[in-house]
């Protein structure tokens, strides 16, 4: 049975530290756009930590939710692309072929999660910042849509390695950059089609929810909502 | 109303083709330079990257697709109207059809350009076209953008042919009236037309079939344009009403565009004797109908959203009702209903050409705003509030919008320079008395001097 | 050798020149012979140490082959070399445990920063003009040596000052040895958010002058007084890992976390219960909790062990701290105090933390001691789920271990300034990454004082507000290019000594600070040379770490060579033993009565408390030069590349301030301007601003960007330690115009109501 | 080369008269109705002289064209999808409804093109050969004439044309009908 990559994000562990955001930027050569462009809403973060306020002071509470490409099965972004730049892989990823992309931006409009990012200009790395680029990941040019790939370069490397050693991939043998770096271990990554994998086990848990699942996108990312502390008594007097 | 001999008619309607005024050159120069500016802006965009536009994340579409939908909408004036009028055999159509069909052709050309220049990498636009590339990759036929390609392609072909059919006999006419290089040109264009019954029968039959075929095509085109939005799970886009809603809006703005064009021709080419108040009156009535239809559609769209009260959709809804987009929204309502409705509903205003033209102008503006308000508020307020955004156009986008309008004017002027803008032979058909004996219709009218009925039979009489 | 290289180079040049001349400048450069053998496309992982904050996480550096522009034999060219591509947590390291925060990962950009200094510089223009000319290393070192020996021969070695960023382990040792043997006073660590108060309090309470390690993973109830332990305080990665375990790591158990602070911090956002208290009253609240526990016999005073002696009247049950009294001073409802006390007692092990703003008040010491007392009462000191004190590496008693200067850096800088103002400024100053001009209140006049110092040499890698005054700059290697060692102060329970060999070769013509010191010492000769006999820094490291090579339990000591090798491969030495905590000697010392805070500025003129806080991405501003940090949205405000002012919606309405307005914050000591950000998570009588922006000179990415709240702080100190009481300033705020916020987020509510559209 | 005798009439009724009398004489040996030629600057539906060559199968050909276009359209979409199936995450490889759009548009295109081609072909256009025509037609005159009327009947034809109300009879050499 083909692999199907999936992720579980435990919001009860997530502290909103954004280590994942920087890790993703470093791993995937996601460019920085500078203050002016960021001010125009063109900053790129393949994964972002959404924060939402609830209530007013002094009951104001804050909740964090890391949002990355949900790698939907019924991905709205895929059929909208007239050139097949956005398409589905055999391992359940929503792949983006950068050099097939002509920049209609339709996929980004169709994506309910707004996790697709567009190169409004050619990316720049002031020398010698270009030396930090990850050679395993291609750099995208102007007019091209880009997005989270579940660190497909790591997936490929691990699969090739396993094949060379004529063995199966071990669960948790490798992780996307965001999962790997997450200090409170809020993210778990693995093969959903392997019933023994931790991600599959967690996905079966009763805490499992999906982001905008009601839209029928069938996402591969599962969220565990934050829990509340039960046994708190009421204030007396 | 003056009665005219065929010679006069030929003279009147061929004048613009045969004689070139200074006004013509000035107009071409002005419009041409504006179009050039637009092309320059596009070049600037290609050179620097599409970042020179105001678009951003999440508002990835704005002016570009607004203009696209707007122009495709305008294109619904001509062919659709004239086809309906032909099938209905409304006699008053005759002076109107051609200048209407021309609008379609050019509006489609201009509209069709926007999906190309809006690309991040416009030089690769041909990847949307189905051709056997060495990559062996065909377009994604599930994508509404691919549908657009087919729909617009078909509509463009169809409306060009539909426009070209009745031009053949007129080219033959010009051929006989001119000399020199024009002679050569129009001899070729006339395809050797003579006017034997066989040719006339085939031509009329073909036009009849076209008229029938082109109507569903026109409807499908704007439906498919609407599906560019309706197919995407975006709040207030993903709606079944969009098809008819867009078609209605298209015809609405189309008629308005046609009225403006006619008024323009009437003045510039002094066709006062051919484009009569009654034409504006009739088109005004059509515009009034569409105005009401449009109100019905926007009302039912808003009502269903508001009643359904789905949170993501309500966010968009409120931005347009009271939020940042409210000013634009209510301007649109003014332009599309509150101003034009009385102008068109009250006979006294409708029967004055100015009244109808004013109404048309507001409608054209209002309909552009409507498309903008369909696209931007929804994109800037998608499901996750964290990703809410906003949009401001840059000078590049504005320039391109202005240039697209200039292009319309320019093409129109050039066309009326080379082709009689009123279909002369059809005018004549309307004029001659049908044979008493062989007449198929029950009613036989003498040509009465004035009024709408006059248009039907007796616009002019052949001298005997 | 030289010649052979040259010939090969020449040959290659011809080849490359012939091959590609496509206008690309790189293709015009000659190619040098690679100095290391690398397999293209294959990543190598080398251990290193994170220096972005004092936590001291262990790194794994992903190194891959690439083409770098370098200078060899004084000639620019291209060379294939191992380049650091990504920083990840070292899975074996007890502090980072394979994890790493965003700031740590951005450390990569320090190495490749375009504005990093690439060679020694000598001032050519007037001071502060930033005009420098390149000089050779020999020249540079010769100059420094001559200056120093001049001091020595003028018999004023004592007038050499050394300001440094936080440095531990052998580098610190080396510095101190150098200064000591030279006859100069010890180096001064200048940190804006220094934890001197807590160190001092821990010394008093537990005899351990260092920051504690919190065993969150096994705690069932955590109450934090202002400690941003998941964000920027103490050892955030280790604490975050443990936090995750506390929440979901144990089947059926989910620890509760209560946060006490005036503004929802990134840490506070994760709390189950968030309690705003009056500023500076956290200690009173802590004692209030203790009172309830004792009074209601939830815990016997005896349980507190010797810590029971921490507070007078402890055995009497802290009569002054009855809930109503505490409510009166803290503003926290008595009922809530009682409930919290009960919950804490009912869910052991429970744990109290204090740090940040509560300790930056005039009564900071009182607060710290009070919380220590609470911990002692809860009986969690040195016990699972409680607080531990990480044993420091054995060697180098003299200067190693936590950099606890008896006094906070603020007062030490203050002394310098005093001297300067009294006309006896130091004759020479060495700078190492310290930036007191930026991290001190402007009313202190640090810059003016430094300008009085006749000679300043900087050993740092960048030009900032302080080092722009330097007459000579001897740029350091980047951490990834250097030999490093570190002795983390906290974060693990057992002892840790990290070590790392250079992960990559130097990109530029720089030299590691310790090697420069050794070279200078060598040329100075005399005692100094005698005190620092090592040829190079790694030699010193080897000597030190070989000394750790002792039989551990049953397994024998390794062979010296092997040990040195394994240490480098693992990235240090550490033991997982938990018993290492050591005995807690506690002196009897206590704040007499209830002690409230004092603020600078009268309430009627300055109605708001001013809360500067360490920016999640830029810390105290030392990371503002990294584009990755500038463009990573702040977790709360989602702002990028800019400074903002957090203000409560009601307060804002009162002042007619709306989101995005440019506002002016004025204290008795100055004013700053920034854009207003309306935030529901801040008390109505508070104004909060992130520290980090507002640099005058700090590379192209940080210069002239945003505002620096530190500038307007009142120069008041915490009496016991002389650290800056940075939370004790009062301010007023007024609208001055339209500002600009660069936010990543649109809406702030997950389910926006009709009213709040955007 | 065919010789044509023709006259110009300024109104349909006199043209009709000429046509009728020629047709009547058609019974007499010499020429038959099919040799009578008419050229006009506008269609005169309803008049007998305009009835010739009225029959056409154009509509059927249009329908056929539509059919061909539709089949081609669906095949085009479906085949390219099926021949190299790209994973769709559980969606159909050949989506019936989605392909319907392309099918529909190409149906219409087929009909339009079929009509155009047939029209041009059956109307013998384009064709720039020298054929029976008189520029006066474009001033509203209606041309009625006879192809290759035998010399014997020439006088009769001319008489008939004049009687019908023509100013005079002209002669024209046409390359073909």
């Amino acid at each position: 049975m083909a692999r199907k990559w999936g992720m579980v994000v435990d919001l009860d562990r997530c502290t909103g530290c954004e280590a994942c955001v920087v890790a993703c930027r470093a791993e995937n050569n996601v460019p920085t756009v500078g203050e002016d462009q960021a001010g125009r809403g063109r900053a790129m973060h393949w994964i972002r930590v959404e924060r939402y306020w609830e209530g007013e002071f002094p009951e104001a509470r804050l909740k964090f939710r890391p949002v990355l490409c949900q790698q939907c099965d019924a991905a709205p972004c895929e059929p909208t692309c007239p050139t097949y730049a956005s398409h589905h892989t055999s391992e359940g990823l929503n792949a983006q072929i950068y050099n097939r992309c002509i920049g209609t931006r339709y996929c980004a409009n169709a994506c309910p999660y707004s996790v697709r990012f567009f190169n409004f200009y050619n990316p720049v790395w002031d020398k010698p910042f270009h030396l930090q680029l990850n050679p395993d990941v291609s750099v995208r040019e102007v007019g091209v849509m880009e997005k989270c790939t579940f660190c497909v370069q790591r997936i490929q490397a691990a699969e090739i390695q396993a094949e060379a050693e004529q063995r199966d991939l071990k669960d948790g043998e490798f992780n996307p950059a965001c999962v790997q770096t997450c200090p409170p271990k809020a993210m778990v990554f693995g093969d959903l089609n392997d019933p023994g994998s931790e991600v599959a086990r967690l996905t079966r848990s009763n805490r499992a929810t999906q982001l905008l699942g009601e839209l029928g996108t069938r996402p591969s990312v599962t969220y565990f909502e934050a829990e509340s502390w039960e046994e708190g008594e009421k204030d007396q007097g | 109303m003056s009665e005219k001999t065929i010679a006069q008619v030929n003279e009147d309607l061929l004048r613009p083709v045969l004689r070139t005024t200074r006004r013509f050159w000035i107009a071409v120069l002005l419009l041409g330079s504006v179009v050039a500016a637009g092309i320059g802006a596009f070049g600037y965009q290609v050179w620097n990257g599409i970042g020179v536009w105001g678009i951003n994340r999440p508002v990835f579409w704005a002016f570009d697709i607004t203009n696209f939908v707007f122009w495709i909408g305008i294109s619904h004036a001509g062919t659709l109207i004239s086809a309906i009028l032909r099938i209905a055999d409304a006699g008053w159509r005759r002076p109107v059809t051609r200048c209407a069909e021309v609008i379609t052709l050019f509006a489609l050309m201009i509209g069709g350009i926007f999906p190309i220049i809006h690309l991040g990498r416009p030089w690769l636009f041909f990847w949307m076209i189905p051709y056997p590339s060495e990559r062996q990759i065909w377009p994604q036929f599930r994508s509404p953008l691919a549908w657009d390609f087919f729909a617009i392609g078909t509509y463009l072909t169809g409306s060009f042919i539909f426009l070209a059919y009745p031009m053949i006999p007129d080219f033959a006419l010009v051929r006989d009236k001119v000399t020199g290089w024009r002679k050569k040109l129009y001899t070729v264009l006339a395809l050797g037309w003579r006017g034997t019954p066989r040719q006339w029968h085939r031509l009329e039959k073909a036009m009849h079939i076209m008229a029938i075929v082109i109507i569903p095509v026109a409807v499908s085109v704007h439906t498919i344009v609407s599906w560019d939005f309706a197919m995407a799970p975006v709040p207030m886009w993903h709606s079944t009403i969009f098809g008819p809603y867009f078609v209605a809006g298209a015809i609405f703005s189309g008629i308005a565009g046609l009225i403006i064009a006619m008024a323009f021709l009437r003045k510039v080419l002094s066709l006062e004797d051919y484009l009569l108040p009654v034409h504006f009156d009739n088109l005004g009535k059509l515009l009034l109908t569409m105005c009401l239809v449009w109100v019905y559609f926007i009302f039912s769209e808003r009502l269903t959203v508001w009643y359904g009260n789905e949170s993501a959709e309500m966010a968009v809804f409120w931005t347009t009702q009271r939020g940042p987009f409210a000013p634009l929204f209510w301007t649109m309502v003014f332009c599309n209903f509150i101003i034009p409705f009385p102008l068109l509903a009250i006979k006294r205003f409708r029967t004055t050409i100015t009244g109808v033209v004013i109404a048309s102008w507001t409608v054209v503006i209002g309909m552009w705003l409507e498309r903008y308000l369909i696209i931007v508020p929804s994109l800037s307020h998608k499901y996750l509030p964290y990703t809410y955004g906003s949009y401001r156009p840059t000078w590049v986008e504005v320039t391109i919008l202005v240039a697209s309008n200039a292009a319309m004017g320019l093409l129109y002027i050039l066309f009326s320079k080379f082709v009689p803008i009123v279909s002369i032979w059809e005018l004549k058909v309307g004029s001659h008395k049908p044979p008493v004996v062989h007449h198929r219709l029950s009613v036989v009218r003498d040509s009465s001097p004035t009024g709408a009925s006059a248009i039907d039979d007796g616009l002019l009489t052949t001298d005997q | 050798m030289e010649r052979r290289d040259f010939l090969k180079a020449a040959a290659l040049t011809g080849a490359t020149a012939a091959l590609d001349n496509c206008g690309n400048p790189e293709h015009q450069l000659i190619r040098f012979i690679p100095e290391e053998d690398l397999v293209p496309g294959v990543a190598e992982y080398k251990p290193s140490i994170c220096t972005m904050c004092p936590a001291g996480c262990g790194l794994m550096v992903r190194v891959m082959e690439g083409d770098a522009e370098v200078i060899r034999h004084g000639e620019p060219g291209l060379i294939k070399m191992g380049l650091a591509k990504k920083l990840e947590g070292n899975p074996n390291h007890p502090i980072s445990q394979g994890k790493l925060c965003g700031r740590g990962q951005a450390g990569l950009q320090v190495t490749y920063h375009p504005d990093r200094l690439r060679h020694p510089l000598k001032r050519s223009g007037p001071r502060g003009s930033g005009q420098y000319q390149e000089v050779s290393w020999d020249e540079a070192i010769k100059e420094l040596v001559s200056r120093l020996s001049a001091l020595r021969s003028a018999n004023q070695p004592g007038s050499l000052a050394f300001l440094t960023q936080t440095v531990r382990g052998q580098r610190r040792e080396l510095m101190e040895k150098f200064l000591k043997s030279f006859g100069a006073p010890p180096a001064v660590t200048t940190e804006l958010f220094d934890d001197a108060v807590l160190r001092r309090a821990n010394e008093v309470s537990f005899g351990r002058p260092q920051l504690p390690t919190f065993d969150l993973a096994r705690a069932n109830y955590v109450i934090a007084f202002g400690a941003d332990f998941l964000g920027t305080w103490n050892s955030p990665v280790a604490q975050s890992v443990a936090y995750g375990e506390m929440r979901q790591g144990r089947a059926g158990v989910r620890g509760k976390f209560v946060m006490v602070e005036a503004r929802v911090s990134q840490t506070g956002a994760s709390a189950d219960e968030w309690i705003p208290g009056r500023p500076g009253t956290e200690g009173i609240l802590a004692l209030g909790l203790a009172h309830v526990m004792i009074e209601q016999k939830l815990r016997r005073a005896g349980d507190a062990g010797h810590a029971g002696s921490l507070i007078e009247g402890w055995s009497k049950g802290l009569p002054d701290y009855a809930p109503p009294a505490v409510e009166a001073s803290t503003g926290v409802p008595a009922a809530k105090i009682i409930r919290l006390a009960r919950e804490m007692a009912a869910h052991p092990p429970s744990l109290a933390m204090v740090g940040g703003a509560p300790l930056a008040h005039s009564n900071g010491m009182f607060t710290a001691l009070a919380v220590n007392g609470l911990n002692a009462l809860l009986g969690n000191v040195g016990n699972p789920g409680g607080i531990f004190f990480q044993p420091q590496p054995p060697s180098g008693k003299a200067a190693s271990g936590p950099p606890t200067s008896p006094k906070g850096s603020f007062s030490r800088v203050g002394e310098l300034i005093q001297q300067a103002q009294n006309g006896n400024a130091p004759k020479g100053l060495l700078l190492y990454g310290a930036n007191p001009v930026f991290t001190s209140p402007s009313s202190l006049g640090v810059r003016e004082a430094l300008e009085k110092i006749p000679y300043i040499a900087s050993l740092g890698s960048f030009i900032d507000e302080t080092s722009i005054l330097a007459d000579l700059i001897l740029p350091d290697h980047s951490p990834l290019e250097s030999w490093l060692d570190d002795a983390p102060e906290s974060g693990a329970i057992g002892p840790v000594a990290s070590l790392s060999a250079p992960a990559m070769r130097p990109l530029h013509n720089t030299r590691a600070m310790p090697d420069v010191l050794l070279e200078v010492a060598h040329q100075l000769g005399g005692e100094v040379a005698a005190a620092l006999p090592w040829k190079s820094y790694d030699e010193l490291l080897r000597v030190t770490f070989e000394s750790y090579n002792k039989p551990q339990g049953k397994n024998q000591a390794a062979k010296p060579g092997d040990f040195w090798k394994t240490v480098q491969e693992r990235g240090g030495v550490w033991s997982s033993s938990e018993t290492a905590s050591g005995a807690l000697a506690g002196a009897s010392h206590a704040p007499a009565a209830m002690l409230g805070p004092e603020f600078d500025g009268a309430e009627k003129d300055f109605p708001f408390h001013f809360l500067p806080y360490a920016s999640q991405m830029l810390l105290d501003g030392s990371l503002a030069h990294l584009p990755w940090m500038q463009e990573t949205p702040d977790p709360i405000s989602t702002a990028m590349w800019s400074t903002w002012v957090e203000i409560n919606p009601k307060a804002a309405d009162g002042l007619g301030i709306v989101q995005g307005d440019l506002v002016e914050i004025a204290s008795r000591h100055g004013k700053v301007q920034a854009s207003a950000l309306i935030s529901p998570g801040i008390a109505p009588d508070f104004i909060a601003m992130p520290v980090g922006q507002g640099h005058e000179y700090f590379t192209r990415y940080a210069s002239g960007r945003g505002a620096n709240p530190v500038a307007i702080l009142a120069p008041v100190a915490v009496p016991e330690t002389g650290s800056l009481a940075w939370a004790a300033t009062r301010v007023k705020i007024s609208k001055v115009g339209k500002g600009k916020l660069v936010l990543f987020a649109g809406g702030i509510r997950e389910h926006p109501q009709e009213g709040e559209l955007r | 080369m065919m010789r044509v005798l023709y006259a110009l009439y300024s109104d349909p009724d006199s043209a009709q008269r000429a046509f009728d009398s020629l047709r009547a004489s058609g019974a007499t040996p010499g020429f038959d109705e099919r040799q009578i030629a008419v050229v006009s600057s506008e269609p005169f539906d309803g008049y007998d002289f305009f009835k010739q060559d009225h029959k056409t199968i154009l509509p059927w050909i249009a329908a056929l064209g539509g059919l061909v276009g539709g089949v081609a359209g669906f095949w085009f979409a479906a085949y390219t999808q099926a021949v190299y199936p790209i994973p769709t995450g559980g969606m159909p490889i050949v989506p019936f409804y989605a392909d319907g759009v392309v099918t529909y548009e190409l149906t219409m295109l087929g009909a339009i093109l079929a009509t155009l081609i047939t029209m041009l072909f059956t109307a013998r256009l384009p064709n720039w050969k020298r054929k029976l025509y008189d520029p006066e037609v474009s001033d509203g005159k209606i041309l009625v004439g006879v192809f290759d009327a035998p010399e014997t009947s020439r006088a009769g034809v001319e008489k008939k044309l004049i009687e019908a109300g023509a100013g005079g009879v002209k002669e024209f050499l046409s390359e073909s009908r």
Side-chain angles (χ1 to χ4, degrees), chain B residues 365-379:
Chain B
I365 294 163
M367 284 311 292
W368 189 90
L369 284 176
E370 188 226 35
R371 274 55 185 268
Y372 182 84
L373 287 166
I374 285 170
I375 293 169
V376 176
S378 285
L379 286 181

Side-chain angles (χ1 to χ4, degrees), chain A residues 12 15 35 61 126 235-236, chain C residues 248 266 271 339 701 705:
Chain A
D12 206 21
T15 66
E35 179 177 12
R61 307 291 297 109
D126 303 340
D235 297 356
Q236 311 144 328
Chain C
Q248 293 291 336
Q266 183 227 331
R339 172 171 58 83
Y701 303 107
R705 180 182 298 291

Side-chain angles (χ1 to χ4, degrees), chain C residues 559-615:
Chain C
K559 281 215 268 48
D562 302 352
F563 183 77
W564 178 236
K565 217 162 136 289
T566 20
V567 172
Q568 286 185 51
E569 281 158 5
R570 288 180 61 203
V573 282
W574 42 77
S575 81
S576 53
S577 65
E578 299 187 3
T579 55
S581 214
L584 299 169
S588 170
H589 171 77
M594 191 181 288
L595 180 59
E598 293 152 15
F599 298 102
D600 177 278
E603 178 159 8
K604 62 178 210 319
D605 313 336
F606 301 95
F608 292 95
H609 293 289
F610 189 51
L611 177 62
Y613 58 93
S615 150

